[in-house]
Amino acid sequence: MTDDDVDRRRVLRNAAGALAFGAVLGTADPALASGAHHPVVGTWRGVVTLPHEDEVALFTFLPSGFFLSFAEGIHIATGRWEALGRHRVRFALWQVLPDDLKGLPHRYNGEVQAKHEATVDGDTLTSAGTWRGLDIDGNETGRGPVSARAVRFGVTPF
């Protein structure tokens, strides 16, 4: 079964689908990715830059390899991260798109997937990657570069 075989309507209707998607992404080096001592673990705030917009975002990288992101509007994403080395990580995320990006998510009209590679230098995280948009039927609606720059802030993950 490929990602394209997933019944997108069923996943988008089920809020638990976001968590299930995050759980299926694997890690290249579980010993590094699950370590509480990797410098990416923690909370970050910054700006995500896409060709069509910039979004203020909050990121949380948990020691278990789980990733959460909250951006302007109703942009909530979930995913996984893995260590590529002591100061480098790869993370992937999945986000559903409500009809009204500024309002409550009563109905969904698609999703965004993104993959980033990031470097952590002290309290600064920079990343570059690609994003891909899909409509509710799984048809690609867009694709392009994405980058982020964030700084660590004081919420300690549990």
Side-chain angles (χ1 to χ4, degrees):
M1 176 180 262
T2 67
D3 287 346
D4 293 334
D5 292 333
V6 174
D7 180 351
R8 294 183 189 293
R9 286 189 178 110
R10 181 178 48 82
V11 171
L12 291 173
R13 285 186 196 122
N14 184 351
L19 294 174
F21 182 85
V24 301
L25 295 174
T27 59
D29 188 341
L32 282 173
S34 63
H37 302 294
H38 194 284
V40 79
V41 171
T43 50
W44 305 81
R45 69 175 145 227
V47 175
V48 176
T49 302
L50 299 150
H52 54 282
E53 67 181 331
D54 289 340
E55 295 178 346
V56 174
L58 301 174
F59 306 135
T60 299
F61 292 86
L62 296 173
S64 62
F66 191 69
F67 170 80
L68 293 167
S69 172
F70 302 90
E72 287 181 272
I74 308 287
H75 293 181
I76 301 169
T78 185
R80 301 286 295 173
W81 69 272
E82 64 186 0
L84 299 176
R86 182 70 185 138
H87 296 280
R88 293 195 44 80
V89 296
R90 175 183 302 137
F91 61 99
L93 62 92
W94 179 74
Q95 156 192 353
V96 293
L97 296 175
D99 282 337
D100 176 4
L101 290 177
K102 303 293 185 197
L104 296 175
H106 297 290
R107 295 185 325 176
Y108 293 96
N109 66 11
E111 64 190 76
V112 171
Q113 300 169 353
K115 294 181 180 179
H116 291 252
E117 287 200 10
T119 301
V120 177
D121 184 8
D123 288 334
T124 302
L125 178 142
T126 55
S127 74
T130 58
W131 68 271
R132 176 174 101 129
L134 301 168
D135 68 17
I136 198 162
D137 294 317
N139 301 307
E140 189 169 283
T141 59
R143 170 185 298 259
V146 61
S147 64
R149 182 167 174 80
V151 294
R152 185 181 308 277
F153 75 102
V155 176
T156 304
F158 51 91

